[in-house]
Amino acid sequence: EIADIWYRSMASTLQEMNRTSTAELRRFWHVVYMKHGCLSAWLRLSPVRERCMQAYERHAQEVIASVAAQQLLVFDAKEGWDPLCRFLEVPVPDIPFPRCAEALSCEA
């Protein structure tokens, strides 16, 4: 599930970057479009989506395997401030934990 959430966020971010980019970035995206057709359609292709999500999972496992357990927090934002603050040994803030259901639409 986390890989799917990451993938949707990444795809949305890339599409937003393309929409709002500078002239130099537009030239870069043009190359991407020329090579892969429409970026949004390309990102929705099952093989591409699956490879990206598998790469995300592999990377996450490599990080977990390479970092000492006492130095690594595998954090689920659904848990809020408590585990993060405990790990960092800081007090829990008096403000709500920010919640982001979708890329680019966050609320505090």
Side-chain angles (χ1 to χ4, degrees), residues 6-80:
W6 166 82
Y7 182 82
R8 285 185 283 129
S9 174
M10 181 270 306
S12 175
T13 299
L14 288 177
Q15 290 172 10
E16 181 66 15
M17 285 173 53
N18 181 49
R19 190 180 69 74
T20 61
S21 63
T22 64
E24 288 177 1
L25 282 174
R26 282 193 192 101
R27 283 193 290 276
F28 166 76
W29 287 118
H30 179 72
V31 171
V32 172
Y33 281 119
M34 295 301 288
K35 185 173 182 182
H36 301 292
C38 177
L39 179 63
S40 61
W42 179 72
L43 287 169
R44 282 193 299 268
L45 292 174
S46 279
V48 171
R49 186 174 194 272
E50 290 305 314
R51 283 195 305 270
C52 286
M53 290 172 45
Q54 289 168 359
Y56 173 90
E57 292 291 346
R58 274 193 313 275
H59 175 72
Q61 292 308 312
E62 288 170 5
V63 170
I64 290 169
S66 65
V67 176
Q70 68 274 15
Q71 294 179 316
L72 177 68
L73 172 65
V74 178
F75 180 66
D76 184 340
K78 293 176 186 174
E79 297 175 25

Side-chain angles (χ1 to χ4, degrees), residues 75-82 84 93 95-100 107-108:
F75 180 66
D76 184 340
K78 293 176 186 174
E79 297 175 25
W81 289 119
D82 289 334
L84 178 61
I95 60 173
F97 188 81
R99 306 284 176 192
C100 294
E107 61 185 58

